[in-house]
Amino acid sequence: MTTHALQALRSALRDGAEPDIRIQQLRVLRPPGDDELLGVRVPVVRELARAHRELTREDVDALLRSRVHEERLAGVLVLAERMRTARGAERRDLVDFYLARTRCVDNWDLVDASAHVVLGPWLADGPEASEDVLDGLAASPWLWDRRIAVVATLALIRQGRFAPTFRLVRALCHDPEPLIHKALGWMLREIGRRDAPLLVAFLEQHLKDLPRITVRYATERLPAEERARFVRARQR
């Protein structure tokens, strides 16, 4: 049964739709043909998610299973809002809910808005199962599971824990999907922001195995000469 709160959120999303934004998002997101894209700005969806963070679990499930793109985005953002204050068993419960529905997290923006703020805090808590969860996602045939694994490690990077990201980069450097190559480069760049010598050492050791786009993303914040050295070397 659809609750009044869910109806209100859906109505607010449609009220926030902008035709020009929809055109831009169609070009950037390239959603599958069965998706409905309204054209709601992401900050608007975030604000609505904060206002509706107390939606029932059934309502969140309905959002995640919707074919309206912004409804799925609102669903993952509601989970992210809840994770900010969740602790202990409640965190694991939210993670289980999220992991059971990753087939609904089916575009890069949905992954990037949720992986490090829903799965990430639980990983940062250091549960014994965390490595198995990351490995399972990284080995999945579902592209978005693999991107979730990579982006979720941003929460660890922010704690100064880089080993899980390096491990995933080594595991996924031969992935066939450019969206994985870009995510790997993004996470390496985040490591480099915190420890540039460590990033340089990793690149020097693994450069020949890394996709070109990964190297380009990873080196964006390095000094110009050093970046050029790695980019040139990878183009040979």
Short mmCIF file of all heavy atoms in Angstrom, two decimals, residues 20 32 181:
data_model
loop_
_atom_site.label_atom_id
_atom_site.label_comp_id
_atom_site.label_asym_id
_atom_site.label_seq_id
_atom_site.Cartn_x
_atom_site.Cartn_y
_atom_site.Cartn_z
N ASP A 20 14.70 21.28 -19.57
CA ASP A 20 16.08 21.50 -20.00
C ASP A 20 17.05 20.59 -19.24
O ASP A 20 18.03 20.08 -19.81
CB ASP A 20 16.48 22.96 -19.80
CG ASP A 20 15.77 23.89 -20.77
OD1 ASP A 20 15.18 23.38 -21.74
OD2 ASP A 20 15.79 25.11 -20.55
N PRO A 32 18.69 3.44 -19.77
CA PRO A 32 18.10 2.45 -20.67
C PRO A 32 16.71 2.90 -21.11
O PRO A 32 16.07 3.75 -20.47
CB PRO A 32 18.02 1.18 -19.81
CG PRO A 32 18.12 1.65 -18.40
CD PRO A 32 18.94 2.89 -18.42
N HIS A 181 37.10 1.53 -15.18
CA HIS A 181 38.41 2.17 -15.33
C HIS A 181 38.39 3.58 -14.72
O HIS A 181 39.33 3.99 -14.03
CB HIS A 181 38.81 2.28 -16.81
CG HIS A 181 38.83 0.96 -17.52
ND1 HIS A 181 38.92 0.87 -18.89
CD2 HIS A 181 38.78 -0.32 -17.06
CE1 HIS A 181 38.92 -0.40 -19.25
NE2 HIS A 181 38.83 -1.14 -18.16
#
